[in-house]
Amino acid sequence: MSTAVKMDDEAKSKLEELQAEIRLKTGKKVTQQELLSELIDTVVDSRSEFIDSFRDGAPKLTEAEIDQFNEGRITSGVETDEDDIDEILYG
């Protein structure tokens, strides 16, 4: 069963660009229907990330992402205040 989907000119143009790039890089011609079906399947596999993209504001980090960020931090044991930073930056 085929159903028409309305989209604005910009979305249609991006879909056509993607379609052309797939053909150029793979040599395979795909229809826009096949392309949309594949896009939907891909999004369903990462559903929570896709849904989060519609939330207002900055996305919340997962605990794993926070831990990964903190792994790169070290402490030198030296306290630094505004005057120290100003001296380093401005002399």
Side-chain angles (χ1 to χ4, degrees):
M1 179 172 77
S2 179
T3 303
V5 176
K6 292 185 180 186
M7 63 179 76
D8 61 30
D9 291 339
E10 184 178 349
K12 177 78 169 168
S13 177
K14 288 178 182 178
L15 187 63
E16 290 169 348
E17 286 177 26
L18 187 55
Q19 185 181 23
E21 187 173 351
I22 289 169
R23 184 169 187 187
L24 180 67
K25 291 184 177 180
T26 68
K28 183 178 178 186
K29 184 176 180 180
V30 294
T31 66
Q32 290 182 359
Q33 182 177 346
E34 290 172 318
L35 183 54
L36 286 170
S37 292
E38 184 65 30
L39 287 168
I40 291 167
D41 288 344
T42 301
V43 167
V44 167
D45 291 342
S46 58
R47 183 181 309 239
S48 63
E49 291 175 31
F50 183 71
I51 292 169
D52 287 344
S53 72
F54 289 91
R55 296 188 192 282
D56 291 334
K60 291 190 174 190
L61 297 176
T62 65
E63 286 298 318
E65 291 169 326
I66 292 170
D67 290 342
Q68 182 181 10
F69 174 81
N70 287 330
E71 282 178 14
R73 296 180 63 193
I74 60 167
T75 180
S76 65
V78 177
E79 287 192 35
T80 307
D81 62 20
E82 282 184 28
D83 292 333
D84 295 329
I85 294 170
D86 285 347
E87 179 64 30
I88 292 167
L89 291 176
Y90 307 114

